[in-house]
Each structure stands twice: as C-alpha cells, then as structure tokens.
Amino acid sequence: RGASNSVEEVETHQKAEKLVISLEKKINENIRQRAKYAGKPASFMGSEVDLDEQIKKLHVLATVPKFYPRLIKANFINTLLGLITHVNSDISVDTLALVNELIDQDQDPEESSFQYVSALIDEFSRRDTKALEVLVQNAERLLNENKKLR
C-alpha cells in the first residue's frame, strides 16, 4: 500500500510540474505574441486566452500543498507576481484568485499541510520584489479599471 501512495505522489508531483512548465510556455508565447503584434490586440488575444486558461488549471495545485516547496524552489512566486502585473486584467484577477486559493487553506496548524502553506506565505513576504506592494498596486489598478467600466 505504501508503494501505491509513493507512485500516486510521484504522479501528482509530475502533473504539477507539467502544469507549471506549461504555464511558463504560455507566458513566453504571450510575451512573443504581444511583442510581434503590439498594435494589434486581436492578433495576440489567442495567447492571452491560452494563458488565462492555464492559470485556471493551476487551481488544482491548492489541493497538493506538499508540492509548495517545489513551487518555491522553482521561483513560482516571481511568476505569479509577474502575472498579477499583467496588462490584461482578466489574467491579473485570475492570478490573484489562484494566489488566494493557494494560501487560503482552512487547516489546523497541527495538520501536516499547514507547514507548506505557511512556507508559501513566508516566501511571498520575503520576495525582494515586495510582493505585498505588487498586490496592493495591482488591486488599486484593477479597482480603477473597474470604475472606468461603470
């Protein structure tokens, strides 16, 4: 039975890594498309939709807090912070929702996954990029954009 759990855990880690790698590819493609078609948003919109869909797929990572140390090691926090500042507000909002889901675990501090969530939160607070400042600035930006739409 223990071997089965190990196999499942490895498969889960591999799936999570594939999701993160796919996200990086979508980000890079979006950057290329935005640079290539800077004045033609319709031309890079497909890459924005793909990126946004990939962000939504990452919500499954919140179910595997044991993977958080690997996310931290892979510099995933900087990736998230970069997406929060994305020009496309849908991408920013969906990234904020992902961050919220990753860190908003209703768990007892005695549970084993609590340490992983705490480590992720600590990593956000340690960022040289001033994660809190990025979050606040972009929340303000999104609020201002929302007011303009009304």
Side-chain angles (χ1 to χ4, degrees), residues 66-100:
K66 283 188 201 179
F67 188 66
Y68 290 6
R70 289 186 185 196
L71 293 177
I72 293 167
K73 200 173 195 178
N75 212 15
F76 188 64
I77 305 306
N78 280 344
T79 299
L80 292 175
L81 292 171
L83 288 170
I84 289 168
T85 63
H86 197 282
V87 176
N88 182 320
S89 61
D90 291 333
I91 290 171
S92 293
V93 168
D94 287 338
T95 303
L96 286 168
L98 173 61
V99 169
N100 182 58

Side-chain angles (χ1 to χ4, degrees), residues 14-15 61 84 94 140:
Q14 288 173 342
K15 287 178 186 175
L61 294 177
I84 289 168
D94 287 338
E140 289 172 357

Side-chain angles (χ1 to χ4, degrees), residues 139-150:
E140 289 172 357
R141 174 180 66 99
L142 294 170
L143 285 172
N144 289 333
E145 285 179 16
N146 191 25
K147 287 178 186 175
K148 288 177 188 176
L149 292 174
R150 290 181 184 179

